[in-house]
């Protein structure tokens, strides 16, 4: 069962970790490349701030973004800002998201995200948690997939395995970290491939953050996953 109140607390805690880490950077570090192709760390920070406001829009019944071009333009506009401005914006936008999440609401309602994707409102805090945790890793400032909370790793692995389930371009695949197991890919009576690895390596591969070199594969080669 989705517990939006628990996830809002988790978002707050993850944001505090992020703000503390980013606060140790300087202006030169903000301009340096992130781990995301074509994006500086400033791009990542700008995206995180604008994503918080976009999810406020979602929860309040407005379009998440006016359109894709506006989203991209806002990130490009805000990416070059100095660290102090980035920090202030990131903290204030995060606070707006928390305030919206604390307001009385029907959390069972359906909301619309980008590109016509819909979800229940109660899952929006978890989606924000994903943004904060994975983009903290993307900054490349010492926070790694191995540092992510274990419950977050398990839930995001669940989410991504479900996302690729039934995908025609992904062979029937069993994933396991030696304790838990997931199924993903095309429907079949049994898996064609079994992929085994640490929780961090499995999540990194599913989320497009690692190439999968730390994983072992039985029954074939490591499947090529479509972009998220």
């Amino acid at each position: 069962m989705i517990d939006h109140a628990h996830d809002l607390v988790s978002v707050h805690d993850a944001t505090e970790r992020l703000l503390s880490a980013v606060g140790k950077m300087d202006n030169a570090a903000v301009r340096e490349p992130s781990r995301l192709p074509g994006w500086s760390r400033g791009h990542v920070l700008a995206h995180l701030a604008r994503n918080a406001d976009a999810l406020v829009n979602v929860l309040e019944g407005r379009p998440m973004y006016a359109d894709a071009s506006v989203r991209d333009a806002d990130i490009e506009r805000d990416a070059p800002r100095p660290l102090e401005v980035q920090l202030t914006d990131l903290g204030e936008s995060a606070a707006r998201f928390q305030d919206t999440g604390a307001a009385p609401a029907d959390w069972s309602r359906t909301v619309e995200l980008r590109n016509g994707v819909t979800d229940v409102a109660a899952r929006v805090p978890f989606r924000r948690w994903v943004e904060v945790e994975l983009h903290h890793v993307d900054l490349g400032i010492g926070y790694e997939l191995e540092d992510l909370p274990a419950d977050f790793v398990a839930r995001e692995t669940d989410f991504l395995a479900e996302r690729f389930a039934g995908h025609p371009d992904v062979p029937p695949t069993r994933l396991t970290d030696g304790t838990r197991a997931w199924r993903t890919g095309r429907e079949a009576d049994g898996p064609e491939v079994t992929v085994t690895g640490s929780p961090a390596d499995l999540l990194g591969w599913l989320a497009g953050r690692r190439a999968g070199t730390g994983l072992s594969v039985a029954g074939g080669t490591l499947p090529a996953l479509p972009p998220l």
Side-chain angles (χ1 to χ4, degrees):
M1 181 177 294
I2 304 168
D3 184 347
H4 72 274
H6 169 274
D7 289 346
L8 284 167
V9 172
S10 298
V11 171
H12 176 270
D13 292 346
T15 301
E16 289 300 304
R17 288 193 295 273
L18 174 66
L19 290 170
S20 177
V22 172
K24 298 173 184 176
M25 295 166 58
D26 58 24
N27 287 328
V30 172
R31 294 190 295 269
E32 291 173 352
S34 74
R35 290 172 173 173
L36 295 178
W39 271 17
S40 68
R41 291 180 176 133
H43 283 89
V44 175
L45 297 175
H47 165 63
L48 279 167
R50 301 288 69 77
N51 172 262
D53 286 337
L55 291 177
V56 168
N57 288 339
V58 168
L59 291 175
E60 294 185 344
R62 297 185 296 274
M64 186 170 180
Y65 297 101
D67 59 51
S69 63
V70 170
R71 171 188 177 272
D72 295 343
D74 286 350
I75 293 170
E76 290 296 332
R77 177 198 67 208
D78 294 343
R81 298 174 303 176
L83 175 63
E84 182 179 356
V85 179
Q86 297 276 15
L87 269 173
T88 299
D89 188 22
L90 189 58
E92 290 179 349
S93 60
R96 289 191 291 271
F97 177 77
Q98 289 289 334
D99 289 345
T100 302
D106 174 12
W107 287 95
S108 66
R109 71 192 187 281
T110 299
V111 295
E112 184 171 346
L113 299 146
R114 293 179 64 198
N115 303 320
V117 173
T118 60
D119 205 346
V120 294
R123 203 190 298 268
V124 171
F126 179 70
R127 287 179 175 272
R128 176 60 182 173
W129 191 11
V130 172
E131 293 285 327
V132 174
E133 293 285 18
L134 292 185
H135 285 317
H136 191 167
V137 174
D138 293 335
L139 288 171
I141 56 175
Y143 191 68
E144 303 296 340
L145 293 170
E146 285 78 8
D147 298 315
L148 296 170
D151 60 332
F152 170 82
V153 172
R155 286 181 61 189
E156 179 64 352
T157 302
D158 287 343
F159 178 81
L160 292 173
E162 182 180 345
R163 179 163 182 168
F164 294 123
H167 197 289
D169 296 332
V170 181
T173 303
R174 179 177 183 267
L175 311 170
T176 181
D177 61 7
T179 301
R180 296 158 297 180
W182 300 262
R183 293 282 294 273
T184 195
R186 293 190 300 272
E187 294 293 335
D189 292 336
E192 292 180 8
V193 178
T194 297
V195 178
T196 304
S198 70
D201 278 332
L202 284 173
L203 175 59
W205 173 62
L206 288 168
R209 266 67 180 184
R210 290 185 179 172
T213 54
L215 302 172
S216 61
V217 186
T221 59
L222 186 68
L225 298 176
L228 291 171

Coordinates of all heavy atoms in Angstrom, one line a residue, residues 110-177:
T110 N -6.9 10.4 -9.4 CA -5.9 10.2 -10.5 C -5.4 11.6 -11.0 O -6.2 12.6 -11.1 CB -6.6 9.6 -11.7 OG1 -7.1 8.3 -11.3 CG2 -5.7 9.4 -12.9
V111 N -4.1 11.7 -11.2 CA -3.5 12.9 -11.6 C -2.7 12.6 -12.9 O -2.4 11.5 -13.2 CB -2.5 13.5 -10.5 CG1 -3.3 13.9 -9.3 CG2 -1.4 12.5 -10.2
E112 N -2.5 13.7 -13.7 CA -1.8 13.6 -14.9 C -0.4 14.2 -14.8 O -0.2 15.3 -14.4 CB -2.6 14.3 -16.1 CG -1.9 14.1 -17.4 CD -2.8 14.5 -18.6 OE1 -4.0 14.8 -18.3 OE2 -2.3 14.6 -19.7
L113 N 0.6 13.4 -15.3 CA 2.0 13.8 -15.3 C 2.4 14.3 -16.8 O 1.5 14.8 -17.5 CB 2.9 12.7 -14.8 CG 2.5 12.3 -13.4 CD1 2.7 10.8 -13.2 CD2 3.4 13.1 -12.4
R114 N 3.6 14.1 -17.2 CA 4.0 14.5 -18.5 C 3.6 13.4 -19.5 O 3.4 12.3 -19.2 CB 5.6 14.5 -18.6 CG 6.2 15.6 -17.8 CD 7.7 15.6 -17.9 NE 8.2 15.8 -19.3 CZ 9.4 15.5 -19.8 NH1 10.2 14.9 -19.0 NH2 9.7 15.8 -21.0
N115 N 3.4 13.9 -20.8 CA 3.2 13.0 -21.9 C 1.9 12.1 -21.7 O 1.9 11.0 -22.2 CB 4.4 12.2 -22.2 CG 5.6 13.0 -22.4 OD1 5.6 14.0 -23.1 ND2 6.8 12.6 -21.9
G116 N 1.0 12.6 -21.0 CA -0.3 11.9 -20.9 C -0.2 10.8 -19.8 O -1.2 10.0 -19.7
V117 N 0.9 10.6 -19.1 CA 1.0 9.6 -18.1 C 0.1 9.9 -16.9 O 0.1 11.1 -16.5 CB 2.5 9.4 -17.7 CG1 2.6 8.5 -16.5 CG2 3.3 8.9 -18.8
T118 N -0.6 9.0 -16.4 CA -1.5 9.2 -15.2 C -1.0 8.3 -14.1 O -0.4 7.3 -14.3 CB -2.9 9.0 -15.5 OG1 -3.1 7.6 -16.0 CG2 -3.4 9.9 -16.6
D119 N -1.4 8.7 -12.9 CA -1.0 7.9 -11.7 C -2.0 8.4 -10.6 O -2.7 9.4 -10.7 CB 0.4 8.2 -11.3 CG 1.0 7.0 -10.5 OD1 0.2 6.1 -10.0 OD2 2.2 7.0 -10.4
V120 N -2.0 7.6 -9.5 CA -2.7 8.1 -8.3 C -1.9 9.2 -7.6 O -0.7 9.1 -7.6 CB -3.1 6.9 -7.4 CG1 -4.0 5.9 -8.0 CG2 -1.8 6.2 -6.9
A121 N -2.6 10.1 -7.0 CA -1.9 11.2 -6.4 C -1.0 10.7 -5.3 O 0.1 11.3 -5.0 CB -3.0 12.2 -5.8
A122 N -1.4 9.6 -4.6 CA -0.6 9.1 -3.5 C 0.8 8.7 -3.9 O 1.7 8.6 -3.1 CB -1.3 8.0 -2.8
R123 N 1.1 8.4 -5.2 CA 2.4 8.0 -5.7 C 3.3 9.2 -6.0 O 4.5 9.1 -6.2 CB 2.3 7.1 -6.9 CG 3.5 6.2 -7.0 CD 3.5 5.5 -8.4 NE 2.4 4.6 -8.5 CZ 2.4 3.3 -8.1 NH1 3.5 2.8 -7.6 NH2 1.3 2.6 -8.3
V124 N 2.7 10.4 -6.1 CA 3.5 11.6 -6.5 C 4.7 11.8 -5.5 O 5.8 12.1 -5.9 CB 2.6 12.8 -6.6 CG1 3.5 14.1 -6.8 CG2 1.7 12.6 -7.8
P125 N 4.5 11.8 -4.2 CA 5.6 11.9 -3.3 C 6.7 10.9 -3.5 O 7.9 11.3 -3.5 CB 5.0 11.8 -1.9 CG 3.6 12.2 -2.0 CD 3.2 11.7 -3.4
F126 N 6.4 9.7 -3.9 CA 7.5 8.7 -4.2 C 8.2 9.1 -5.5 O 9.4 9.0 -5.6 CB 6.9 7.3 -4.3 CG 8.0 6.3 -4.7 CD1 9.0 6.0 -3.8 CD2 8.1 5.8 -6.0 CE1 10.0 5.1 -4.1 CE2 9.1 4.9 -6.3 CZ 10.0 4.5 -5.4
R127 N 7.5 9.6 -6.5 CA 8.1 10.1 -7.7 C 9.1 11.2 -7.4 O 10.1 11.3 -8.0 CB 7.0 10.5 -8.7 CG 6.2 9.4 -9.3 CD 5.2 9.9 -10.3 NE 4.5 8.8 -11.0 CZ 4.9 8.2 -12.1 NH1 6.0 8.7 -12.7 NH2 4.2 7.3 -12.7
R128 N 8.7 12.1 -6.5 CA 9.6 13.2 -6.1 C 10.8 12.6 -5.4 O 12.0 13.1 -5.6 CB 8.9 14.2 -5.2 CG 9.8 15.4 -4.7 CD 10.4 16.2 -5.8 NE 11.3 17.2 -5.3 CZ 12.1 18.0 -6.0 NH1 12.1 17.8 -7.3 NH2 12.9 18.9 -5.4
W129 N 10.6 11.7 -4.5 CA 11.7 11.0 -3.8 C 12.7 10.4 -4.8 O 13.9 10.6 -4.7 CB 11.2 9.9 -2.9 CG 12.1 9.3 -1.9 CD1 13.4 9.8 -1.6 CD2 11.9 8.2 -1.1 NE1 13.9 9.0 -0.6 CE2 13.1 8.0 -0.3 CE3 10.8 7.3 -1.0 CZ2 13.2 6.9 0.6 CZ3 10.9 6.3 -0.1 CH2 12.1 6.1 0.7
V130 N 12.2 9.8 -5.9 CA 13.1 9.3 -6.9 C 13.9 10.4 -7.5 O 15.1 10.2 -7.7 CB 12.2 8.5 -8.0 CG1 13.1 8.1 -9.2 CG2 11.5 7.3 -7.4
E131 N 13.3 11.5 -7.9 CA 14.0 12.6 -8.5 C 15.2 13.1 -7.6 O 16.3 13.3 -8.0 CB 13.1 13.7 -8.8 CG 12.0 13.5 -9.8 CD 12.6 13.5 -11.2 OE1 13.5 14.2 -11.5 OE2 12.1 12.7 -12.1
V132 N 14.9 13.2 -6.3 CA 15.9 13.8 -5.4 C 17.0 12.8 -5.2 O 18.2 13.2 -5.3 CB 15.2 14.2 -4.0 CG1 16.3 14.6 -3.0 CG2 14.2 15.3 -4.2
E133 N 16.7 11.5 -5.0 CA 17.8 10.6 -4.7 C 18.6 10.3 -5.9 O 19.9 10.4 -5.8 CB 17.1 9.2 -4.2 CG 16.5 9.3 -2.9 CD 17.4 9.4 -1.7 OE1 18.6 9.7 -1.9 OE2 17.0 9.1 -0.5
L134 N 18.0 10.0 -7.1 CA 18.8 9.7 -8.2 C 19.6 10.9 -8.8 O 20.8 10.7 -9.2 CB 18.0 9.1 -9.3 CG 17.4 7.7 -9.0 CD1 16.6 7.1 -10.2 CD2 18.4 6.7 -8.6
H135 N 19.0 12.0 -8.7 CA 19.8 13.2 -9.2 C 20.9 13.6 -8.2 O 21.8 14.3 -8.7 CB 18.8 14.3 -9.5 CG 18.1 14.1 -10.8 ND1 18.6 13.6 -12.0 CD2 16.7 14.3 -11.1 CE1 17.7 13.6 -12.9 NE2 16.6 14.0 -12.4
H136 N 20.7 13.3 -7.0 CA 21.8 13.5 -6.0 C 23.0 12.7 -6.5 O 24.1 13.2 -6.5 CB 21.4 13.2 -4.6 CG 22.3 13.6 -3.5 ND1 22.0 13.6 -2.2 CD2 23.6 14.0 -3.6 CE1 23.0 13.9 -1.5 NE2 24.0 14.2 -2.3
V137 N 22.7 11.4 -6.8 CA 23.8 10.6 -7.4 C 24.4 11.2 -8.6 O 25.6 11.2 -8.9 CB 23.3 9.2 -7.6 CG1 24.3 8.3 -8.3 CG2 22.9 8.5 -6.3
D138 N 23.5 11.7 -9.5 CA 23.9 12.2 -10.8 C 24.9 13.4 -10.7 O 25.6 13.7 -11.6 CB 22.7 12.7 -11.6 CG 21.8 11.5 -12.1 OD1 22.4 10.4 -12.2 OD2 20.6 11.7 -12.3
L139 N 24.8 14.1 -9.6 CA 25.7 15.3 -9.4 C 27.2 14.8 -9.3 O 28.1 15.6 -9.6 CB 25.3 16.0 -8.1 CG 24.1 16.8 -8.1 CD1 23.7 17.3 -6.7 CD2 24.2 18.0 -9.1
G140 N 27.4 13.6 -8.9 CA 28.8 13.2 -8.8 C 29.6 13.9 -7.7 O 30.8 14.2 -8.0
I141 N 29.0 14.0 -6.6 CA 29.7 14.7 -5.5 C 29.9 13.9 -4.2 O 30.0 14.4 -3.1 CB 29.0 16.0 -5.1 CG1 27.5 15.8 -4.8 CG2 29.1 17.0 -6.3 CD1 26.8 17.0 -4.3
G142 N 29.9 12.5 -4.5 CA 30.2 11.6 -3.3 C 29.1 10.8 -2.8 O 29.3 10.0 -2.0
Y143 N 27.9 11.1 -3.4 CA 26.7 10.3 -3.0 C 26.5 9.3 -4.1 O 26.2 9.6 -5.2 CB 25.5 11.2 -2.8 CG 24.3 10.6 -2.2 CD1 24.2 10.2 -0.8 CD2 23.1 10.4 -2.9 CE1 23.1 9.7 -0.2 CE2 21.9 9.9 -2.3 CZ 21.9 9.6 -1.0 OH 20.8 9.0 -0.4
E144 N 26.5 8.0 -3.7 CA 26.5 6.9 -4.7 C 25.2 6.0 -4.6 O 24.5 6.1 -3.5 CB 27.7 6.0 -4.6 CG 29.1 6.8 -4.8 CD 29.2 7.4 -6.1 OE1 28.6 7.0 -7.1 OE2 30.0 8.4 -6.3
L145 N 25.0 5.2 -5.5 CA 23.8 4.3 -5.4 C 23.9 3.4 -4.2 O 22.9 3.1 -3.6 CB 23.8 3.4 -6.7 CG 23.5 4.2 -8.0 CD1 23.7 3.2 -9.2 CD2 22.1 4.7 -8.0
E146 N 25.1 3.1 -3.8 CA 25.2 2.3 -2.6 C 24.8 3.0 -1.3 O 24.6 2.4 -0.3 CB 26.7 1.8 -2.4 CG 27.1 0.7 -3.4 CD 27.4 1.1 -4.8 OE1 27.4 2.4 -5.0 OE2 27.5 0.3 -5.7
D147 N 24.7 4.4 -1.4 CA 24.4 5.2 -0.2 C 22.8 5.4 -0.1 O 22.4 5.9 0.9 CB 25.0 6.6 -0.3 CG 26.5 6.5 -0.3 OD1 27.1 5.7 0.5 OD2 27.2 7.2 -1.1
L148 N 22.1 5.0 -1.1 CA 20.7 5.2 -1.1 C 20.0 4.3 0.0 O 20.5 3.2 0.3 CB 20.1 4.8 -2.5 CG 20.5 5.6 -3.7 CD1 20.0 5.0 -5.0 CD2 19.9 7.0 -3.6
P149 N 18.9 4.8 0.6 CA 18.2 4.0 1.6 C 17.8 2.7 1.0 O 17.3 2.6 -0.1 CB 17.1 4.9 2.0 CG 17.5 6.3 1.6 CD 18.3 6.1 0.4
A150 N 17.9 1.6 1.8 CA 17.5 0.3 1.3 C 16.1 0.2 0.9 O 15.8 -0.5 -0.1 CB 17.9 -0.8 2.3
D151 N 15.2 0.8 1.6 CA 13.8 0.7 1.3 C 13.5 1.4 0.0 O 12.7 1.0 -0.9 CB 12.9 1.2 2.4 CG 13.1 2.7 2.7 OD1 14.2 3.2 2.6 OD2 12.1 3.3 3.2
F152 N 14.2 2.5 -0.3 CA 14.1 3.2 -1.6 C 14.5 2.4 -2.7 O 13.9 2.3 -3.7 CB 14.9 4.5 -1.5 CG 15.0 5.2 -2.9 CD1 13.9 6.0 -3.4 CD2 16.1 5.0 -3.7 CE1 14.0 6.5 -4.6 CE2 16.1 5.6 -5.0 CZ 15.1 6.3 -5.4
V153 N 15.7 1.7 -2.6 CA 16.3 0.9 -3.6 C 15.3 -0.2 -4.0 O 15.0 -0.5 -5.2 CB 17.6 0.3 -3.2 CG1 18.1 -0.7 -4.2 CG2 18.7 1.4 -3.0
A154 N 14.7 -0.9 -3.0 CA 13.8 -2.0 -3.2 C 12.5 -1.5 -3.9 O 12.1 -2.1 -4.9 CB 13.4 -2.7 -1.9
R155 N 12.0 -0.3 -3.5 CA 10.8 0.2 -4.2 C 11.0 0.7 -5.6 O 10.2 0.5 -6.5 CB 10.2 1.3 -3.3 CG 9.5 0.7 -2.0 CD 8.9 1.9 -1.2 NE 7.9 2.6 -2.0 CZ 7.3 3.7 -1.6 NH1 7.7 4.2 -0.4 NH2 6.4 4.3 -2.3
E156 N 12.1 1.3 -5.8 CA 12.4 1.8 -7.1 C 12.7 0.7 -8.1 O 12.4 0.7 -9.3 CB 13.6 2.8 -7.1 CG 14.0 3.4 -8.5 CD 12.9 4.2 -9.2 OE1 11.7 4.3 -8.7 OE2 13.2 4.8 -10.2
T157 N 13.4 -0.4 -7.6 CA 13.6 -1.6 -8.4 C 12.2 -2.2 -8.7 O 12.0 -2.6 -9.9 CB 14.5 -2.6 -7.7 OG1 15.7 -2.0 -7.4 CG2 14.8 -3.8 -8.5
D158 N 11.3 -2.3 -7.8 CA 10.0 -2.8 -8.1 C 9.3 -2.0 -9.2 O 8.8 -2.5 -10.1 CB 9.1 -2.6 -6.8 CG 9.4 -3.6 -5.7 OD1 10.1 -4.7 -6.0 OD2 8.9 -3.4 -4.6
F159 N 9.4 -0.6 -9.1 CA 8.8 0.3 -10.0 C 9.4 0.1 -11.4 O 8.6 0.0 -12.4 CB 9.0 1.7 -9.5 CG 8.4 2.7 -10.5 CD1 7.0 3.0 -10.4 CD2 9.2 3.4 -11.4 CE1 6.5 4.0 -11.3 CE2 8.7 4.4 -12.2 CZ 7.3 4.6 -12.2
L160 N 10.7 0.0 -11.5 CA 11.3 -0.1 -12.8 C 11.1 -1.4 -13.5 O 10.9 -1.5 -14.7 CB 12.8 0.3 -12.7 CG 13.1 1.7 -12.4 CD1 14.6 1.9 -12.1 CD2 12.6 2.7 -13.5
A161 N 11.1 -2.5 -12.6 CA 10.9 -3.8 -13.2 C 9.4 -3.9 -13.7 O 9.2 -4.4 -14.8 CB 11.1 -4.9 -12.1
E162 N 8.5 -3.2 -13.0 CA 7.1 -3.2 -13.5 C 7.0 -2.3 -14.8 O 6.3 -2.6 -15.7 CB 6.2 -2.6 -12.4 CG 4.8 -2.5 -12.8 CD 3.9 -1.9 -11.7 OE1 4.4 -1.8 -10.6 OE2 2.8 -1.5 -12.0
R163 N 7.8 -1.3 -14.8 CA 7.8 -0.4 -16.0 C 8.2 -1.1 -17.3 O 7.6 -0.9 -18.4 CB 8.7 0.8 -15.8 CG 8.7 1.8 -17.0 CD 9.3 3.1 -16.6 NE 9.3 4.1 -17.7 CZ 9.5 5.4 -17.6 NH1 9.7 5.9 -16.4 NH2 9.5 6.2 -18.6
F164 N 9.2 -2.0 -17.2 CA 9.6 -2.7 -18.4 C 8.9 -4.0 -18.6 O 9.1 -4.7 -19.6 CB 11.1 -3.0 -18.3 CG 12.0 -1.8 -18.3 CD1 12.9 -1.5 -17.3 CD2 11.9 -0.9 -19.4 CE1 13.7 -0.3 -17.3 CE2 12.7 0.3 -19.4 CZ 13.6 0.5 -18.4
A165 N 8.0 -4.4 -17.7 CA 7.2 -5.6 -17.8 C 6.3 -5.5 -19.0 O 5.7 -4.5 -19.3 CB 6.4 -5.9 -16.6
G166 N 6.4 -6.6 -19.9 CA 5.5 -6.6 -21.1 C 6.1 -5.8 -22.2 O 5.5 -5.8 -23.3
H167 N 7.3 -5.2 -22.1 CA 7.9 -4.5 -23.2 C 8.4 -5.4 -24.2 O 9.1 -6.4 -24.0 CB 9.1 -3.6 -22.7 CG 9.5 -2.5 -23.6 ND1 10.1 -2.8 -24.8 CD2 9.3 -1.2 -23.5 CE1 10.3 -1.6 -25.4 NE2 9.9 -0.7 -24.7
P168 N 7.9 -5.2 -25.5 CA 8.3 -6.2 -26.5 C 9.7 -6.3 -26.9 O 10.2 -7.3 -27.4 CB 7.5 -5.7 -27.7 CG 7.2 -4.2 -27.5 CD 7.1 -4.1 -26.0
D169 N 10.5 -5.3 -26.5 CA 11.9 -5.3 -26.9 C 12.8 -5.8 -25.8 O 14.1 -5.9 -25.9 CB 12.4 -3.9 -27.3 CG 11.7 -3.3 -28.5 OD1 11.3 -4.2 -29.4 OD2 11.5 -2.1 -28.6
V170 N 12.2 -6.2 -24.7 CA 13.0 -6.7 -23.5 C 12.7 -8.2 -23.3 O 11.5 -8.5 -23.2 CB 12.7 -5.9 -22.2 CG1 13.5 -6.5 -21.1 CG2 13.0 -4.5 -22.4
P171 N 13.6 -9.1 -23.4 CA 13.3 -10.5 -23.3 C 12.8 -10.8 -21.9 O 13.1 -10.1 -20.9 CB 14.7 -11.2 -23.5 CG 15.7 -10.2 -23.2 CD 15.1 -8.8 -23.6
P172 N 12.1 -11.9 -21.7 CA 11.6 -12.3 -20.4 C 12.8 -12.5 -19.5 O 13.7 -13.3 -19.7 CB 10.9 -13.6 -20.6 CG 10.6 -13.6 -22.1 CD 11.6 -12.8 -22.8
T173 N 12.8 -11.7 -18.4 CA 14.0 -11.6 -17.6 C 13.7 -11.7 -16.1 O 12.7 -11.1 -15.6 CB 14.7 -10.2 -17.8 OG1 15.0 -10.1 -19.2 CG2 16.0 -10.1 -17.0
R174 N 14.5 -12.5 -15.4 CA 14.4 -12.6 -13.9 C 15.6 -11.8 -13.4 O 16.7 -11.9 -13.8 CB 14.5 -14.1 -13.5 CG 14.4 -14.2 -12.0 CD 14.5 -15.7 -11.6 NE 14.3 -16.0 -10.2 CZ 15.4 -16.1 -9.3 NH1 16.6 -16.0 -9.8 NH2 15.1 -16.3 -8.1
L175 N 15.3 -10.9 -12.4 CA 16.3 -10.2 -11.7 C 16.4 -10.6 -10.3 O 15.3 -10.9 -9.6 CB 15.9 -8.7 -11.7 CG 15.5 -8.0 -13.0 CD1 14.9 -6.6 -12.8 CD2 16.7 -8.0 -14.0
T176 N 17.6 -10.7 -9.7 CA 17.7 -11.1 -8.3 C 18.9 -10.5 -7.7 O 20.0 -10.4 -8.4 CB 17.7 -12.7 -8.2 OG1 17.8 -13.0 -6.8 CG2 18.8 -13.3 -8.9
D177 N 18.8 -10.1 -6.5 CA 20.0 -9.7 -5.7 C 20.4 -10.8 -4.7 O 21.2 -10.5 -3.8 CB 19.7 -8.4 -4.9 CG 18.5 -8.5 -3.9 OD1 18.1 -9.7 -3.7 OD2 18.1 -7.5 -3.4

